[in-house]
Amino acid sequence: MTGTATAVDEVVDYDEALRRYDPVLGLEVHVELNTATKMFCGCATAFGADPNTQVCPVCLGLPGALPVVNERAVESAIRIGLALNCQIAQWCRFARKNYFYPDMPKNFQTSQYDEPIAFEGHLDVELEDGEVFRVLIERAHMEEDTGKSLHIGGATGRIHGADHSLVDYNRAGIPLIEIVTKPVTGVGERAPEVARAYVAALRELLRALQVSDVRMEQGSLRCDANVSLRARAVDGQAQDDVPLGTRTETKNVNSLRSVERAVRFEISRQAAVLDAGRPVVQETRHWHEDTGVTTSGRVKSDAEDYRYFPEPDLVPVAPSRETVAQLRATLPEPPGLRRKRLQGDWGYSDLEMRDVVNAGAVELIEETVDAGATPAAARKWWTGELARRANAEGRSVEDFGVTPSHIAELDGLVRSGRLNDSMARQVLDGVMGGEGTPTEVADARGLTLVQDEGALEAAVDKVIAANPDVAEKVRGGKVQAAGALIGQVMKEMRGQADAGKARQLILDRLGAA
Ligand code: ADP
Ligand code: MG
Ligand code: ZN
């Protein structure tokens, strides 16, 4: 027996839990900035380099090394703060957060404590049904990332059961912004959805600011989800005036779907703990994607344990009001407004637009339309065909090597009548396989609709003659029956015919047009 590590937590059915308890959320999002160099030294930040090749005395914490603040990172921090409707500090300092962990060579993390660069803001979050919920932001502060530990020899890749561990310090010192919400109350059973929608909205905003590549799967955007429960009054009403319950903090949840699932699980688990008359333990928890549960991590330290103190090696950050005003002028159109504007321009329904946003395809579609595609075709390709393939292969559409101009060109080939839909999909296969542009692929594969009217007419006549019963139905006014004939004509033409033309011709021949 290894005690709690293997214990399976009891859970209460989610709806049941919601009848007795009211959830409160707190979301902490860490975002890695996309600056070329680290927060306090000139080391490169590119993802995926060989271990320990992007390090220097400063980020390795060697004696005597002195940090210098990355001005670009401070600018990004201020822009993020402004985009989140925060106040920007006139003067603030970094602080040392002292604790030992092997992936943190200085034995402290340079962070900010009671003097964050940005504070008191909000982000409006649109939920699935279009309702807008305002999440209050407590602060956004600057800090540095830690290195990465790699645990070798165990079954799970976790430290438990591993033979030994390796540490890669490439990530140590990469600029991070931590964005912390105030406790989110009053969302009831929608808590998991709000958590997800908040992270999605934040990701969209950060992407629009171009301050990070916000890839959750690579860890450049990470979410810690705090959850607590408050008992409801006997009549089932939420009680806003009673103190908050004890929270747990589920660490490093790395997809939107996981944020939603982890919050949902924690609500069910904490409800079972409280139902049994036990206290919720204030602790960090780990999310397990495969089993859909959280397990106990470490008992959470209080801030006092970190012995925060102002960082003596760095000068305070005191952005002038002119600088802040200049940075404010660089803010992009807020994503929510931009979405509304584009939806109007493109003529999409609310549902269509939501699909596009959920697929992260707004920019792709915008560029595709700019390159000459119709909005309908751009949407169809990116959120239909390409998103479907990406999902099936567990990849991201950006990784296919297909560009907006490829899609615009493909759409052009369809609209000019050279390709039908199924041929266009074959051309797309070729583009994804690196065979060239759509026109090159269509040429190389000999894909062109047969423009020869005579051949099409011959095929139509042949099919009508071979299916007198069906033809009779169409003659009698059953126009839907023509579908079967069109299918056969397409077969005769080995798929290389324009289905619309074939249909017209069949109806003409049968006097049903
Ligand atoms: P820590 O240093 O423990 O990570 P932070 O202040 O950085 O603490 O973040 C805690 C997060 O949890 C914040 O978003 C805060 O609003 C939220 N929070 C605080 N108390 C509760 C509570 N009782 N229930 C749910 N969320 C809470
Ligand atoms: Mg925190
Ligand atoms: Zn360095």
Side-chain angles (χ1 to χ4, degrees), residues 262-502:
V263 168
R264 199 180 163 92
F265 176 82
E266 261 311 281
I267 291 172
S268 289
R269 187 192 69 82
Q270 291 184 14
V273 171
L274 295 172
D275 277 354
R278 294 195 306 268
V280 171
V281 179
Q282 178 161 347
E283 62 185 355
T284 64
R285 297 187 66 86
H286 301 294
W287 167 247
H288 302 270
E289 184 67 51
D290 45 353
T291 48
V293 304
T294 64
T295 56
S296 179
R298 67 187 156 88
V299 171
K300 184 85 190 189
S301 315
D302 283 325
E304 302 87 78
D305 298 335
Y306 291 120
R307 293 285 184 273
Y308 279 100
F309 64 85
E311 167 60 58
D313 287 343
L314 287 165
V315 292
V317 177
S320 73
R321 295 300 98 177
E322 296 81 72
T323 305
V324 172
Q326 278 163 12
L327 291 170
R328 191 186 291 280
T330 69
L331 295 186
E333 181 183 10
L337 293 182
R338 174 160 179 271
R339 226 186 300 125
K340 291 259 144 45
R341 174 175 61 78
L342 291 172
Q343 184 182 349
D345 291 353
W346 295 340
Y348 293 173
S349 69
D350 289 350
L351 194 68
E352 288 169 345
M353 194 65 193
R354 207 165 302 144
D355 281 349
V356 166
V357 171
N358 290 341
V362 176
E363 282 75 27
L364 290 167
I365 290 180
E366 190 176 28
E367 287 171 37
T368 306
V369 170
D370 284 348
T374 65
R379 185 179 65 79
K380 190 188 78 179
W381 285 111
W382 288 112
T383 66
E385 189 65 20
L386 284 158
R388 192 181 54 70
R389 294 188 194 207
N391 267 342
E393 296 171 31
R395 295 166 67 187
S396 135
V397 283
E398 284 93 354
D399 299 336
F400 282 144
V402 177
T403 65
S405 60
H406 285 147
I407 296 298
E409 187 179 331
L410 192 60
D411 178 44
L413 293 173
V414 173
R415 278 190 293 146
S416 71
R418 170 162 180 188
L419 301 179
N420 62 20
D421 280 354
S422 86
M423 293 163 114
R425 278 194 291 276
Q426 293 175 51
V427 168
L428 188 64
D429 286 334
V431 174
M432 285 169 56
E435 292 170 32
T437 66
T439 307
E440 286 164 3
V441 174
D443 288 348
R445 294 192 176 194
L447 290 166
T448 295
L449 280 179
V450 174
Q451 302 293 353
D452 178 353
E453 298 282 331
L456 185 60
E457 281 170 24
V460 166
D461 290 340
K462 183 171 167 197
V463 168
I464 288 176
N467 297 275
D469 304 355
V470 186
E472 202 43 49
K473 279 191 196 154
V474 179
R475 269 197 203 93
K478 279 203 133 193
V479 176
Q480 321 80 290
L485 300 178
I486 298 169
Q488 298 224 22
V489 170
M490 294 304 283
K491 211 162 157 195
E492 278 292 318
M493 305 287 292
R494 284 198 229 88
Q496 307 217 330
D498 181 331
K501 263 190 200 156

Side-chain angles (χ1 to χ4, degrees), residues 24 26-28 139 180-183 226 228 244-245 247 300:
V24 175
L27 298 161
E28 301 170 65
R139 64 177 196 272
V180 182
T181 68
K182 300 214 177 206
N226 294 264
S228 68
L244 299 182
R247 67 184 159 107
K300 184 85 190 189

Side-chain angles (χ1 to χ4, degrees), residues 38-41 67-74 94 142 313-317:
K38 291 187 180 179
M39 189 75 210
F40 303 113
C41 63
V68 176
V69 175
N70 181 334
E71 189 180 348
R72 251 306 155 72
V74 175
F94 286 95
M142 300 181 280
D313 287 343
L314 287 165
V315 292
V317 177

Side-chain angles (χ1 to χ4, degrees), residues 190-223:
R190 301 188 81 173
E193 186 195 343
V194 169
R196 179 197 178 119
Y198 167 76
V199 179
L202 189 55
R203 185 176 68 170
E204 192 184 21
L205 182 68
L206 294 165
R207 193 182 276 139
L209 285 163
Q210 300 184 316
V211 291
S212 168
D213 48 2
V214 290
R215 297 184 75 147
M216 294 187 84
E217 73 286 1
Q218 288 186 357
S220 56
L221 184 82
R222 313 196 277 274
C223 176

